[in-house]
């Protein structure tokens, strides 16, 4: 059965799609009754964990969106289909700390690769006008960096970005675009399905060009960095009697290492009189 578990830390209220066993395979179907139960769970979770969603969201507008999704639940769905439905709530929260998402992007990536999957080959920077430019390929190569993407598989990029932003969280259009930019390849896969090949039209300083590229069967560098403890947590003593503690995530699995780092950091802060 699909379960939507609540996780709260500081000002974070993230609603994640999960299962009793910790994993729901793509082919598993959830019944309409189960989905209605989970949609109600989202409502109750927000009511009991968020300080006051009315500070950011237009509550009547959000309730209309809840009602529409509830009415659309008529057939069994896979977990990805559920996310495509329920994540339509995300833009209406107007809050980057409230989102319907997956519990672990890294786990989704690992499972997909184990099953022979692959991803759109580029990291992309999305803008509020629905345009998008290449930042690098998934391994960090910047050969095509800066090129504007005009089409993917004959679909205008502006339409693709608009469709993705309709499932993105964020306080503002700019933040929504930046959050999508962090994992464009993930949104593309989850919304449009997997493709083995991408026919792309791009605009460069040398004019428009056409690329035919294979999907990349690798874990993107952005995911690897997120899983690297040293990339996510850092501490150093700076000049001018200052210490810098960097915490890039609230969901690390390295609990013992995290606690050890914090104990060491604050011990050194006290010893240095900072």
């Amino acid at each position: 059965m699909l379960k939507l578990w609540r996780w709260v830390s500081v000002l974070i209220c993230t609603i994640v799609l999960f299962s009793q066993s910790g994993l729901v395979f793509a082919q598993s179907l959830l019944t309409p009754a189960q989905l209605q139960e989970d949609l109600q769970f989202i409502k109750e979770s927000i009511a009991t964990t968020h300080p006051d969603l009315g500070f950011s969201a237009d509550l009547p507008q959000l309730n209309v969106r809840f009602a529409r999704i509830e009415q659309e639940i008529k057939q069994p769905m896979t977990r990805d289909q559920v996310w495509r439905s329920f994540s339509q709530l995300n833009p209406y929260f107007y809050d980057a700390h409230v989102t319907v998402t997956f519990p672990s992007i890294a786990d989704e990536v690992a499972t997909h690769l184990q099953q022979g999957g692959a991803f759109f080959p580029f990291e992309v920077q999305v803008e509020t006008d629905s345009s998008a430019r290449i930042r690098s390929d998934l391994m960090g190569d910047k050969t095509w960096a800066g090129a504007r993407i005009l089409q993917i598989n004959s679909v205008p990029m502006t339409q693709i970005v608009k469709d993705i932003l309709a499932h993105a969280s964020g306080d503002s259009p700019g933040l929504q675009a930046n959050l999508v930019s962090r994992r464009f390849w993930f949104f593309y896969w989850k919304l449009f399905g997997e493709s083995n090949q991408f026919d792309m039209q791009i605009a460069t300083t040398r004019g428009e060009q056409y690329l035919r590229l294979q999907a990349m069967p690798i874990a993107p560098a952005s995911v690897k960095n997120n899983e690297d403890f040293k990339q996510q947590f850092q501490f150093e003593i700076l000049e001018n009697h200052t210490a810098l503690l960097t915490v890039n995530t609230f969901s690390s699995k390295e609990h013992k290492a995290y606690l050890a780092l914090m104990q060491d950091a604050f011990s050194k802060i006290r010893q240095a009189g900072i």
Side-chain angles (χ1 to χ4, degrees):
M1 173 180 178
L2 185 73
K3 286 293 182 183
L4 289 157
W5 291 103
R6 181 176 61 206
W7 174 67
V8 185
S9 178
V10 194
L11 297 179
I12 304 287
C13 173
T14 301
I15 300 166
V16 298
L17 295 173
F18 214 175
S19 70
Q20 285 182 317
S21 64
L23 178 64
V24 177
F25 293 102
Q27 66 268 25
S28 299
L29 292 176
L30 295 311
T31 69
Q34 290 172 321
L35 301 179
Q36 293 288 359
E37 178 186 347
D38 290 326
L39 191 63
Q40 184 61 33
F41 180 85
I42 292 178
K43 293 181 182 179
E44 294 173 356
S45 296
I46 292 173
T48 57
T49 64
H50 198 282
D52 184 351
L53 199 58
F55 281 117
S56 60
D58 181 328
L59 294 182
Q61 185 183 55
L62 180 61
N63 288 333
V64 167
R65 179 56 56 180
F66 266 113
R68 287 181 181 175
I69 293 175
E70 186 174 0
Q71 292 170 3
E72 292 170 357
I73 298 175
K74 300 181 184 299
Q75 303 293 330
M77 298 184 192
T78 66
R79 190 175 65 153
D80 282 2
Q81 289 172 332
V82 177
W83 177 79
R84 287 195 287 270
S85 175
F86 287 11
S87 63
Q88 294 177 80
L89 294 166
N90 287 340
Y92 294 90
F93 294 137
Y94 293 101
D95 188 337
H97 297 127
V98 183
T99 180
V100 180
T101 186
F102 294 85
S104 171
I105 301 298
D107 288 348
E108 292 293 310
V109 168
T111 300
H112 187 54
L113 293 174
Q114 289 168 6
Q115 296 174 349
F119 301 101
F120 180 73
F122 291 118
E123 299 278 9
V124 170
Q125 181 63 45
V126 169
E127 303 297 341
T128 55
D129 63 359
S130 297
S131 65
R133 294 182 181 274
I134 295 171
R135 288 189 287 132
S136 69
D137 72 12
L138 297 191
M139 294 186 293
D141 184 275
K142 296 186 177 182
T143 299
W144 297 105
R148 187 159 62 93
I149 304 174
L150 304 178
Q151 291 185 359
I152 300 176
N153 292 343
S154 300
V155 181
M157 190 62 177
T158 52
Q159 185 59 55
I160 292 172
V161 171
K162 286 178 182 178
D163 289 345
I164 290 176
L165 288 173
H167 298 263
S169 59
D171 302 34
S172 65
L175 182 54
Q176 289 172 350
N178 280 333
L179 291 174
V180 167
S181 298
R182 293 177 61 188
R183 298 188 184 95
F184 174 85
W185 48 268
F186 186 82
F187 280 95
Y188 190 96
W189 164 44
K190 289 297 185 180
L191 282 176
F192 307 117
E194 185 181 9
S195 295
N196 294 322
Q197 179 177 284
F198 297 93
D199 290 321
M200 299 176 58
Q201 181 183 2
I202 63 174
T204 72
T205 55
R206 300 183 298 277
E208 293 185 7
Q209 299 190 43
Y210 293 86
L211 306 177
R212 173 166 289 182
L213 300 172
Q214 297 299 311
M216 282 193 170
I218 64 167
S222 56
V223 172
K224 295 177 182 177
N225 289 340
N226 284 341
E227 292 299 295
D228 185 344
F229 184 86
K230 292 183 179 180
Q231 290 279 344
Q232 297 302 312
F233 303 98
Q234 300 169 25
F235 174 76
E236 57 183 318
I237 302 292
L238 305 178
E239 297 178 353
N240 300 320
H241 209 56
T242 304
L244 175 62
L245 178 63
T246 301
V247 179
N248 283 328
T249 179
F250 292 112
S251 60
S252 173
K253 297 177 182 178
E254 303 287 342
H255 298 299
K256 291 183 179 180
Y258 170 81
L259 293 174
L261 174 68
M262 291 299 162
Q263 184 175 15
D264 180 66
F266 284 98
S267 175
K268 289 178 178 176
I269 289 173
R270 284 193 297 270
Q271 291 172 7
I274 295 174

